[in-house]
Amino acid sequence: MGTLYEALQLILQVVWFVMIVHIIMSWLINFQVLNLRQPLVAQLWDGLNRLLEPIYRPIRGVLPNTGGLDLAPLVLFIIIIILQRALANNAGFFYGM
């Protein structure tokens, strides 16, 4: 069961990292540091959007319309923090203590 605990923590950490990369890349694209006409940038951006959009979509459906401000990543960060702490607080269950 310890392996399950570590796998769940790893999945949450990978999602956290992918979200950070997506957010930084969106800033760089909006400030025209990166150009979507470059094939590598376009492929990476498309891949990140395909990974995260299915996660963001239900959150955006619940949140009110805030115009150009997307609060879905912030809500997902909070959810990930809550899940990580819940896993850490119940680690004894996974290790049989």
Side-chain angles (χ1 to χ4, degrees):
M1 287 294 276
T3 306
L4 178 61
Y5 169 77
E6 292 170 9
L8 291 173
Q9 285 285 17
L10 179 65
I11 290 169
L12 290 174
Q13 289 173 357
V14 167
V15 172
W16 182 278
F17 177 74
V18 169
M19 287 179 58
I20 293 290
V21 170
H22 185 257
I23 290 168
I24 291 173
M25 195 168 174
S26 73
W27 291 343
L28 293 175
I29 290 169
N30 285 330
F31 291 124
Q32 298 176 355
V33 175
L34 293 177
N35 189 349
L36 285 176
R37 283 180 254 143
Q38 297 172 337
L40 179 64
V41 174
Q43 286 179 343
L44 186 60
W45 181 246
D46 185 51
L48 289 172
N49 280 331
R50 287 179 186 225
L51 280 173
L52 292 173
E53 191 59 34
I55 301 171
Y56 289 157
R57 193 176 306 120
I59 296 171
R60 287 183 184 133
V62 174
L63 292 175
N65 188 5
T66 56
L69 185 62
D70 187 13
L71 296 177
L74 177 65
V75 172
L76 188 56
F77 276 133
I78 293 170
I79 291 170
I80 289 174
I81 290 170
I82 291 169
L83 288 174
Q84 285 177 331
R85 295 209 177 151
L87 280 173
N89 288 338
N90 295 307
F93 170 76
F94 291 99
Y95 288 108
M97 295 178 187

